[in-house]
Amino acid sequence: MNLHALRIFTKVAALKSVTKAADALSISQPAVTIQIRNLEKETGLKLIKTEGRGINLTKEGEFLVKRAESLFNMEQDIENKLIQLKDGELQELHISSTSLPANYLLPTWLAKFKLAYPSVKVNLSSGNSYQVIDQLLHYKSDVAFVVKEEWHHPTIQLHHLMDIEFWFIVPTGHKYDGQEVSLHDLMDEPFLVREEGSSTREVLFSLCNLHNVPVPNIGIQFHGLNESIRSVLAGYGAMLAPSLAVKDHIHRNELGKVLVKDIEIKRPVYLCTRKEDAHTIHLSRLIDLINGFTKDDFY
């Protein structure tokens, strides 16, 4: 496949305009059009369609642009690592993580790691499960940490680290504080939920479907774990939260814990890497360090 044409195609897709892509690449508009046509001829597929003054991708074009982005991100990742190798050894780790590991597990792990290897530059970014896995697949991170029920992906290697309990919480003094109630009754309360793409949201809704209970009334939707917990601390709503994040608040009587009849939720934490990649020396060292910890170290 013509990689030059593929690069031009990804720029057109990103800007949704042949004219803007030509300006950005400092080439003529006809040259861009020719390259797109050559790529369509080479693949035998219609990749873009004109709509008004702009363009949209066909479903085949959307497929190709996602694969092309992964390819060029991998190319950039290789170039960055080769530059580091010229200087002696790889000195960077890019980590992506969902909120729970990022806030309650990785700070301890990375502190120990940096004490042992102070010269290694560590970059940590957080997001929901979908975003974190996407970063790993597109070579924007070397390793990902997610809290997600058992799942399989053809190009991702999963390493189970531990299981974390999840609790239903309410403001202290709430009528269900310290009580055992049915899932149906609890779902009548206004709920704080995470955004779409959050695995905790998926678990809550799946739990309702499994027990034939209506999904909760969404009082507030947050794009973050800590923001959600802070609203419950302030006196509003119920939510499903990881025990690691709320146990201290409950011990200090700042939050109430609700027991739900016949329901116990434990969720797995996974370390994820790309199957085809050989681990760099620092990634291997980080994994070895993490394997030396247990869940008990965080309770």
Side-chain angles (χ1 to χ4, degrees):
M1 181 174 288
N2 186 325
L3 294 183
H4 176 62
L6 191 59
R7 287 184 192 278
I8 292 175
F9 168 64
T10 58
K11 180 62 72 173
V12 171
L15 297 176
K16 295 186 179 299
S17 167
V18 170
T19 302
K20 291 179 180 178
D23 290 341
L25 295 169
S26 299
I27 57 179
S28 69
Q29 183 175 332
V32 171
T33 302
I34 289 171
Q35 291 295 336
I36 297 297
R37 288 176 179 169
N38 287 342
L39 190 60
E40 289 182 326
K41 183 178 180 180
E42 183 180 5
T43 61
L45 298 169
K46 183 70 174 176
L47 301 175
I48 64 174
K49 53 188 177 182
T50 303
E51 292 191 0
R53 294 185 177 181
I55 62 98
N56 275 325
L57 300 180
T58 63
K59 64 178 182 179
E60 294 82 6
E62 290 175 353
F63 173 86
L64 182 58
V65 78
K66 287 180 181 178
R67 297 305 184 276
E69 287 171 351
S70 294
L71 175 64
F72 295 133
N73 287 333
M74 179 174 65
E75 179 187 38
Q76 185 62 55
D77 182 64
I78 291 171
E79 290 177 356
N80 291 339
K81 285 181 169 57
L82 287 175
I83 291 171
Q84 293 176 55
L85 285 170
K86 286 180 181 179
D87 295 332
E89 64 175 324
L90 296 173
Q91 291 293 329
E92 275 192 300
L93 268 180
H94 292 269
I95 300 170
S96 58
S97 175
T98 55
S99 294
L100 173 59
N103 285 281
Y104 301 99
L105 299 174
L106 279 160
T108 298
W109 294 334
L110 294 180
K112 294 289 186 182
F113 180 80
K114 284 290 292 183
L115 287 171
Y117 308 104
S119 64
V120 181
K121 182 179 179 182
V122 178
N123 298 283
L124 173 63
S125 61
S126 62
N128 62 40
S129 298
Y130 175 83
Q131 293 166 334
V132 164
I133 294 303
D134 188 65
Q135 287 178 336
L136 180 65
L137 291 174
H138 285 82
Y139 293 83
K140 294 180 181 179
S141 66
D142 302 305
V143 60
F145 295 84
V146 297
V147 180
K148 190 173 175 67
E149 278 54 47
E150 185 173 354
W151 53 291
H152 302 281
H153 192 283
T155 63
I156 293 179
Q157 182 70 46
L158 302 179
H159 176 60
H160 178 255
L161 297 176
M162 63 182 73
D163 290 324
I164 302 296
E165 292 183 2
F166 272 61
W167 298 337
F168 287 102
I169 60 169
V170 292
T172 185
H174 186 279
K175 64 181 179 179
Y176 291 149
D177 182 358
Q179 303 297 310
E180 183 179 45
V181 302
S182 69
L183 183 65
H184 186 281
D185 287 343
L186 185 58
M187 291 304 107
D188 282 339
E189 297 298 305
F191 252 74
L192 295 157
V193 299
R194 295 283 307 282
E195 75 284 359
E196 292 185 13
S198 161
S199 62
T200 302
R201 177 192 178 109
E202 293 172 2
V203 166
L204 178 62
F205 285 23
S206 296
L207 196 63
C208 291
N209 291 332
L210 178 64
H211 292 271
N212 198 28
V213 170
V215 297
N217 170 36
I218 299 176
I220 305 177
Q221 178 174 296
F222 278 103
H223 288 255
L225 172 62
N226 291 324
E227 297 91 328
S228 304
I229 293 172
R230 288 205 132 335
S231 280
V232 184
L233 282 166
Y236 179 81
M239 71 173 288
L240 180 63
S243 55
L244 275 177
V246 298
K247 62 183 178 64
D248 290 339
H249 293 299
I250 291 173
H251 291 160
R252 293 193 297 263
N253 200 34
E254 297 168 346
L255 287 172
K257 179 182 176 184
V258 183
L259 301 177
V260 179
K261 293 176 182 177
D262 303 320
I263 291 178
E264 183 181 14
I265 303 172
K266 289 186 177 181
R267 307 195 59 211
V269 182
Y270 286 103
L271 181 155
C272 311
T273 56
R274 293 180 293 270
K275 282 184 178 179
E276 74 276 13
D277 283 6
H279 294 171
T280 65
I281 185 170
H282 288 308
L283 179 54
S284 295
R285 287 168 175 171
L286 176 63
I287 294 172
D288 288 343
L289 181 148
I290 289 171
N291 285 333
F293 284 82
T294 68
K295 184 177 72 173
D296 293 338
D297 293 315
F298 297 93
Y299 280 90

